[in-house]
C-alpha cells in the first residue's frame, strides 16, 4: 500500500508523532497529492504497529495532551527497502473518468462530443498553465519531479482528448442520427 510505505519512508528519517508526519508528508509531496487526512494516517499507523513495522510510545506532557511517538522497526525498514526495490505495476488497468465521459458524450451526438472536447481542452490548458507556474517557483527537487509528472500526465490527457474527437466522430454521428430523445424512448418502451 503506497501510503503505508510513504509513512515508513518518513519514519526512516527519525521518530515522529502523527501531526508531524502529516506535515512532513504534505511538505515532501507538495500540492500535487493533496492533503493527508489525519484519521486515515492514524489508521495506517495502527496497521503498521500491528504488522510490526512501527512501534509507538506514549509521551506525557505537562502543559499539553500526551502524544504518541512512532518509530520505524528493523522489520519496517526491511519492508521499506523491499518496496523501494520493486517497480510500480499498474494493478487495475487505466480507470479514468475521462474515458467514461468520452463514452457518454459520444453517444449524445457530434455537438455534445465537440462541446465536451472544447471544455476539457480548455480545462487542461488552464491546468498546464498553473502547473508551469508552480514548477517555476518550486525549489524542492522531489516536489519538482511530482509537478513534472503532473505536467506530463496533463499533456498526455490533452492528446487523448484531441485524438478522441477524431476517433469518436463516427460513433457520435451514428448516435446522433439514431438516438431517440428521452420522450421518444419512453413512448417506444
Amino acid at each position: 500500500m503506497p501510503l503505508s510505505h510513504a509513512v515508513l519512508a518518513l519514519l526512516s528519517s527519525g521518530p515522529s508523532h502523527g501531526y508531524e508526519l502529516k506535515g512532513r508528508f504534505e511538505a515532501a509531496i507538495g500540492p500535487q497529492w493533496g492533503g493527508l487526512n489525519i484519521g486515515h494516517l492514524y489508521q495506517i499507523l495502527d496497521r503498521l504497529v500491528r504488522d510490526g513495522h512501527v512501534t509507538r510510545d506514549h509521551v506525557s506532557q505537562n502543559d499539553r495532551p500526551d502524544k504518541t511517538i512512532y518509530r520505524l522497526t528493523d522489520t519496517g525498514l526491511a519492508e521499506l527497502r523491499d518496496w523501494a526495490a520493486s517497480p510500480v505495476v499498474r494493478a487495475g488497468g487505466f480507470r479514468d473518468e475521462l474515458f467514461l465521459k468520452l463514452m457518454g458524450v459520444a453517444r449524445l451526438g457530434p455537438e455534445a462530443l465537440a462541446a465536451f472536447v472544447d471544455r476539457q481542452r480548455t480545462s487542461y490548458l488552464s491546468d498546464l498553465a498553473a502547473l508551469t507556474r508552480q514548477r517555476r517557483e518550486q525549489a524542492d527537487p522531489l516536489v519538482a519531479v511530482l509537478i513534472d509528472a503532473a505536467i506530463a500526465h496533463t499533456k498526455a490527457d490533452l492528446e487523448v482528448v484531441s485524438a478522441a474527437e477524431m476517433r469518436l466522430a463516427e460513433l457520435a454521428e451514428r448516435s446522433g442520427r439514431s438516438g431517440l430523445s428521452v420522450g421518444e424512448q419512453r413512448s417506444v418502451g
Side-chain angles (χ1 to χ4, degrees), residues 1-186:
M1 183 171 298
L3 282 177
S4 296
H5 291 96
V7 171
L8 292 175
L10 291 171
L11 287 171
S12 71
S13 299
S16 293
H17 59 84
Y19 278 97
E20 185 177 45
L21 284 169
K22 178 184 181 335
R24 288 174 52 205
F25 175 87
E26 291 170 355
I29 299 301
Q32 297 312 306
W33 186 275
L36 179 59
N37 180 294
I38 194 69
H40 187 214
L41 174 59
Y42 282 118
Q43 288 176 345
I44 291 168
L45 287 165
D46 286 345
R47 196 173 320 116
L48 290 171
V49 168
R50 181 198 69 209
D51 294 345
H53 296 147
V54 169
T55 61
R56 74 174 132 218
D57 297 309
H58 297 285
V59 177
S60 297
Q61 301 184 103
N62 292 333
D63 57 341
R64 303 170 138 181
D66 294 350
K67 67 180 171 182
T68 302
I69 301 292
Y70 297 90
R71 286 182 175 74
L72 187 65
T73 64
D74 290 340
T75 304
L77 182 58
E79 174 65 23
L80 176 60
R81 286 187 174 143
D82 288 346
W83 173 76
S86 64
V88 174
V89 178
R90 191 179 299 272
F94 294 90
R95 298 179 102 183
D96 190 321
E97 183 181 358
L98 173 62
F99 301 114
L100 297 178
K101 287 262 190 163
L102 288 168
M103 177 202 58
V105 299
R107 282 164 174 73
L108 294 175
E111 294 82 18
L113 176 62
F116 171 74
V117 166
D118 186 53
R119 285 189 303 272
Q120 193 62 53
R121 186 180 289 125
T122 299
S123 177
Y124 285 147
L125 290 172
S126 176
D127 289 347
L128 281 173
L131 287 165
T132 301
R133 279 191 303 277
Q134 286 180 6
R135 180 63 179 88
R136 275 195 305 268
E137 299 165 358
Q138 189 51 244
D140 185 305
L142 178 61
V143 176
V145 167
L146 294 172
I147 293 172
D148 289 344
I151 289 170
H153 283 283
T154 304
K155 285 180 178 178
D157 286 342
L158 186 57
E159 288 179 29
V160 167
V161 165
S162 295
E165 184 173 27
M166 290 187 316
R167 289 183 175 176
L168 298 177
E170 185 179 331
L171 171 63
E173 187 61 39
R174 279 194 321 259
S175 295
R177 281 193 310 260
S178 66
L180 301 173
S181 72
V182 174
E184 291 169 321
Q185 290 174 5
R186 285 190 189 124

